[in-house]
């Protein structure tokens, strides 16, 4: 049965919040929920309001923003640290979600100082 407070989805979200940088985060959270992958995606979206994949991408992007603003690490290294498969996907996703490229974000942060 579906419930807005489905404990399996709450647990899955909590797991993702703590393990989003890991490559197998999505698979492990779906597996632990005890339902099929398709059912997991449906229940998660109903419970959280977005797909599991989009949820993880947003977590990774927010973490990247924190690192970009607070460190002098390269965009490539930050992309890797956040769990993105490659810098091109990271840059495309970052720009889509934030409205600017990671490099522009860094420059804007430096200009604030």
């Amino acid at each position: 049965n579906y419930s807005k407070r489905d404990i399996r989805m709450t647990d899955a979200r909590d797991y993702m919040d703590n393990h989003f940088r890991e490559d197998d985060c999505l698979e492990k959270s779906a597996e632990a929920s005890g339902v099929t992958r398709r059912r997991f995606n449906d229940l998660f979206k109903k419970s959280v309001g977005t797909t599991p994949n989009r949820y993880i991408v947003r977590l990774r992007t927010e973490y990247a923003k924190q690192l970009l603003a607070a460190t002098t690490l390269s965009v490539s290294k930050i992309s890797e640290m956040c769990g993105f498969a490659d810098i091109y996907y990271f840059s495309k996703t970052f720009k889509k979600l934030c409205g600017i490229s990671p490099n522009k974000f860094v420059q804007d942060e430096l200009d604030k100082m």
Side-chain angles (χ1 to χ4, degrees), residues 64-95:
K65 284 170 58 177
Q66 292 173 12
L67 292 175
L68 289 166
T71 70
T72 58
L73 295 171
S74 70
V75 172
S76 178
K77 182 63 177 171
I78 289 173
S79 166
E80 180 184 318
M81 290 173 64
C82 293
F84 286 95
D86 63 71
I87 191 165
Y88 302 105
Y89 177 67
F90 168 66
S91 294
K92 178 182 170 183
T93 302
F94 190 94
K95 187 169 185 174

Side-chain angles (χ1 to χ4, degrees), residues 4 9 17 27 37 40 59 67 70 73 76 97 104 107 113:
K4 188 77 170 165
M9 298 306 108
D17 288 345
E27 290 76 22
R37 179 63 185 268
F40 174 75
L59 289 172
L67 292 175
L73 295 171
S76 178
L97 294 176
K104 175 74 169 126
Q107 188 59 50
M113 293 180 171

Side-chain angles (χ1 to χ4, degrees), residues 2-34:
Y2 164 72
S3 166
K4 188 77 170 165
R5 295 186 183 266
D6 189 328
I7 191 69
R8 297 171 298 184
M9 298 306 108
T10 301
D11 290 346
R13 188 182 67 211
D14 290 345
Y15 182 85
M16 288 179 198
D17 288 345
N18 292 309
H19 299 274
F20 64 89
R21 294 180 305 249
E22 299 169 11
D23 290 340
D24 59 354
C25 174
L26 184 57
E27 290 76 22
K28 283 188 175 181
S29 57
E31 185 180 297
S33 71

